[in-house]
Amino acid sequence: LAKTTQPISMDSYEGQEVNITCSHNNIATNDYITWYQQFPSQGPRFIIQGYKTKVTNEVASLFIPADRKSSTLSLPRVSLSDTAVYYCLVGISTDTGRRALTFGSGTRLQVQP
Amino acid sequence: DSGVTQTPKHLITATGQRVTLRCSPRSGDLSVYWYQQSLDQGLQFLIQYYNGEERAKGNILERFSAQQFPDLHSELNLSSLELGDSALYFCASSVDQSGGNYGYTFGSGTRLTVV
C-alpha cells in the first residue's frame, strides 16, 4: 500500500534549524510536493512547494532528490510560534493506476525557549 | 481569509441523521478536495472534483457522497451518521489537478459533532 511517512514528532530550541523529512516512494510523475503547517482547529496553511531540486522562499527551503521519493522541509531559526504540526502532501500512484492525494501522517514540532 | 469558504463552521446532529457541508473554492480554482480530520489525527483524503467531474477518490465511505456544481461550489453529503463521523471536515481548492501553482488552499473547516 502506497504510504507517505514522516517522523511523528520533533523537538527543537528557538534559533535552531529544523529539518523534517517525508518519504513518498510512489509519488505520481506529474505531482508537486507541498508542505503545510497546521495549528489546532485551523485549516492547513501552505508553506512551500516544489517539483524537484531545491526551492526556497521567505519562510522555508525544500530539498527534493532526483528520484523524488523523499523531500525535506528546512525551517531556519525556528521560534516558539513555529510550534505546530507539519504535513507533506503528494499525489501517490495507486495499484489501480489512479492517483490518490495523500497527506503524510504529520510531524508535531515543539519549539522550546 | 484564505478565499475558500466553508459553511457551516459548526454542526451538531444526532446519529442516523444526514447533513450537507458546503464549500466555495477560491476564485479561479477549478479543483475542490474534501478531507476528514478526526481528533488528534492526520488529514484523510476523501474525494476530489475538477470542473464538475470526480477526479480522485480516497477512503470515502459509501454513506458519504459529494458533488461539484456548475458554479464550482461543492457539497459533501454525510448520511446515516455515526458517532465516529465526528471530525473536522476541510475543503481545499486549487487551480489545476496536480496541485501546482502554490498547491491547495484550505478553508477553515466544518466541525461536525454527532451525538
Side-chain angles (χ1 to χ4, degrees):
Chain A
L1 180 66
K3 290 178 65 175
T4 304
T5 58
Q6 304 175 228
I8 293 175
S9 64
M10 297 183 71
D11 293 315
S12 184
Y13 293 94
E14 282 191 291
Q16 289 191 333
E17 178 185 79
V18 171
N19 296 309
I20 306 173
T21 297
C22 177
S23 297
H24 30 79
N25 290 332
N26 292 350
I27 184 171
T29 302
N30 297 323
D31 263 58
Y32 286 79
I33 299 162
T34 314
W35 282 81
Y36 293 84
Q37 177 192 55
Q38 188 181 30
F39 297 109
S41 298
Q42 294 185 23
R45 186 177 71 92
F46 174 89
I47 300 174
I48 196 167
Q49 181 184 71
Y51 185 78
K52 60 181 178 180
T53 64
K54 178 184 174 181
V55 179
T56 298
N57 63 20
E58 61 276 9
V59 298
S61 294
L62 179 59
F63 299 91
I64 305 170
D67 64 5
R68 300 194 343 114
K69 293 185 176 182
S70 66
S71 58
T72 299
L73 171 71
S74 180
L75 304 172
R77 299 178 300 281
V78 295
S79 64
L80 295 177
S81 63
D82 293 320
T83 294
V85 180
Y86 293 83
Y87 293 94
C88 63
L89 173 65
V90 298
I92 297 295
S93 297
T94 67
D95 294 340
T96 60
R98 295 201 74 176
R99 169 180 160 269
L101 285 165
T102 305
F103 269 97
S105 49
T107 299
R108 189 175 299 275
L109 173 64
Q110 180 69 49
V111 180
Q112 306 281 0
Chain B
D1 182 9
S2 67
V4 177
T5 303
Q6 289 188 248
T7 57
K9 292 191 182 304
H10 302 278
L11 196 53
I12 301 175
T13 189
T15 54
Q17 295 298 305
R18 170 191 167 97
V19 298
T20 297
L21 312 184
R22 182 188 169 98
C23 170
S24 294
R26 193 179 57 167
S27 178
D29 287 356
L30 299 179
S31 267
V32 171
Y33 311 78
W34 286 97
Y35 288 87
Q36 179 192 54
Q37 188 173 37
S38 301
L39 185 64
D40 290 334
Q41 299 294 312
L43 291 139
Q44 298 297 319
F45 169 63
L46 295 179
I47 198 164
Q48 176 206 356
Y49 282 84
Y50 177 77
N51 206 20
E53 295 186 3
E54 181 186 309
R55 278 290 186 250
K57 217 166 186 177
N59 297 322
I60 187 168
L61 300 173
E62 288 191 7
R63 300 184 285 108
F64 296 0
S65 65
Q67 54 184 327
Q68 185 179 29
F69 295 87
D71 67 353
L72 301 178
H73 91 271
S74 177
E75 293 181 356
L76 178 67
N77 301 298
L78 314 176
S79 61
S80 302
L81 285 168
E82 302 175 359
L83 295 178
D85 297 327
S86 296
L88 268 169
Y89 290 85
F90 289 105
C91 168
S93 71
S94 68
V95 170
D96 57 24
Q97 299 185 65
S98 67
N101 296 316
Y102 303 104
Y104 314 92
T105 302
F106 281 80
S108 56
T110 293
R111 182 176 293 280
L112 172 66
T113 302
V114 182
V115 297

